[in-house]
Amino acid sequence: MATKKEMAVQFLHNLGSASPGMVEHLTEGAKYSVNTQTMKTGPFTGKKTISEKFLPMLTQIFPKGL
């Protein structure tokens, strides 16, 4: 069984590479938004929406990962 630290590190790795694996650790109430000086989008709520809309957007914005 993974420790909390190992799970957090894996989650951040998956987020940084826009991997669908990051969604497994989220709850249905999870919410992501992107707020920068040049872009504001979201919120993306729930595993399905995050997987189908947020992750592809991350891939477009950061093609080489975060």
Side-chain angles (χ1 to χ4, degrees), residues 11-30:
F11 172 80
L12 292 173
H13 172 75
N14 288 338
L15 175 63
S17 62
S19 169
M22 74 159 269
V23 177
E24 9 175 305
H25 300 290
L26 301 178
T27 65
E28 282 304 322

Side-chain angles (χ1 to χ4, degrees), residues 26-48:
L26 301 178
T27 65
E28 282 304 322
K31 192 179 291 189
Y32 277 89
S33 296
V34 176
N35 297 302
T36 68
Q37 290 180 341
T38 58
M39 177 174 55
K40 182 174 180 166
T41 185
F44 302 96
T45 305
K47 289 181 175 188
K48 183 176 181 180

Side-chain angles (χ1 to χ4, degrees), residues 1-12 25:
M1 178 177 233
T3 66
K4 289 180 182 181
K5 180 179 178 180
E6 291 167 335
M7 287 174 56
V9 168
Q10 185 62 48
F11 172 80
L12 292 173
H25 300 290

